[in-house]
Amino acid sequence: MPDLKEPGPTWVTRFKELPLALRVLFLAAFVNRAGMFVFPLLAVYLVRGKDLSTGEAGLLISVGSTGLLAGSLLSGPFCDLRGRRPALITALLLNAAGYLGLATLDGPPWTYAGLLFVALVGMGMFGPASNTLIADLAPPEQRPFAYTISYIGNNLGMGVGPLLGGLAAAYSYHVMFAGNILAGLLCAALIVLWVPRDSRRPARDAPDPEGAETEGPAEREPGGRRGHHHVLLLVLASFFYVAPLIGLEYALPLAVTTVLDRSAGLVGVVYTINSVIVVCFGLLIEQRIQRYGAKALLVTAGALWAAGLAPLVFAFSLPMVLLSTVVWTLGEIIVSVVVPTYIAGHVHESRVGSFMALNGFVLGVARLIVPVGLGVIWQSHGHGPAFTVLFLTPVVGMAAFALLRVKSLILAPDPRDQPSSSAPAEAPTGK
């Protein structure tokens, strides 16, 4: 009989092999995302609950959203100085405090912008801190799987959250805010109970007496320093794959309701398709990621993004919108797993938090500038040129990644980075 290849472990088995702290983190992140009732309905609350004009509400949300950028920038230094768990708990408490103020305080409009800023600083801190904790606790060979599970959980939570938030808001805005705050506090409690007190590893980047360079988690430079330029360029270039996602969040609802003259409910169908593709194909893609180089994966992601956006440019219709979502979501999955995995594998542990924060900052910049830019193009030239810009953006990203010096996705640990027998023990992972 022919030899039959023994099937690999199931995703359930692989999930159980992850440290308990990470499994709790994934649950907490899902609950946190599912409990984000307020943010999707914030404009409605400010207009109907606080009697602001639509223009005032839009301006306050734009000003408050700078908190996402501030939170992303604060997350890295906070993780490095205070630890991963304190960063996660602080993020959740800031988010809860900001929304508590929005729900209970009556004041001039600028106070709402300030409270929203505080809440979104917390939201901006949570993602980079979570990714940094995954880099700490997941062994290199498990990181793609861990980031995939994290990504799937976040998407499921984002799919459930607006639905639950809408039901809560229909009953009472206070119930909507209370649900968001309670979900955040529940997540904080889970992290306090199950995530290690301090997951930071001892810094071991002292100068190498011989100044030699060896292969390891990150490229060594003379004096024991690490060369991170290729990681920096990769994270910055990922903007060209993040921008289309943010652009679609802005342009698709407008296009469906105005250009196609369809119900706004169809926008929900697009997000449902996106979540279904992430859940169905996320783990299948992850199982194949380690077979290919990081450059090939990122170029492929750009090709999928471009292929998915092409129908919106050349054959815009409702069926093409739905087909487009299936294709570009595959590119989104690859980028969402490869970029944090690459950071974790190529950046010295003392700077992982900073680079994860930079990754979140790139997303925050896209959220600020992409809707404004597309709005100007749409108003001046119509929806066609706006979608053309979105189509060309990942094409530029493909060219950038093709030119970049990109290393392997995962490298074997460097013996220089292993703790000596006298080094402090690493915090327990709760396996």
Side-chain angles (χ1 to χ4, degrees), residues 382-422:
H383 74 282
F387 282 116
T388 299
V389 170
L390 288 181
F391 166 71
L392 293 176
T393 302
V395 175
V396 175
M398 291 173 62
F401 283 118
L403 295 173
L404 286 180
R405 180 176 64 90
V406 180
K407 297 179 179 291
S408 301
L409 185 61
I410 298 175
L411 296 179
D414 189 332
R416 295 172 183 265
D417 292 315
Q418 303 306 313
S420 64
S421 59
S422 60

Side-chain angles (χ1 to χ4, degrees), residues 177-258:
F177 277 99
N180 198 132
I181 293 168
L182 289 176
L185 295 179
L186 173 61
C187 292
L190 290 172
I191 291 170
V192 168
L193 291 173
W194 296 106
V195 172
R197 179 176 297 276
D198 186 354
S199 63
R200 292 175 296 166
R201 299 171 182 173
R204 292 181 296 275
D205 55 350
D208 179 3
E210 297 181 2
E213 296 184 2
T214 63
E215 293 182 355
E219 180 186 356
R220 289 185 179 270
E221 291 181 349
R225 293 178 179 269
R226 306 283 180 156
H228 296 137
H229 296 90
H230 61 105
V231 186
L232 174 62
L233 293 175
L234 182 141
V235 173
L236 294 178
S238 69
F239 172 85
F240 295 105
Y241 294 166
V242 172
L245 181 64
I246 304 304
L248 288 174
E249 290 180 359
Y250 169 82
L252 268 186
L254 286 177
V256 169
T257 55
T258 60

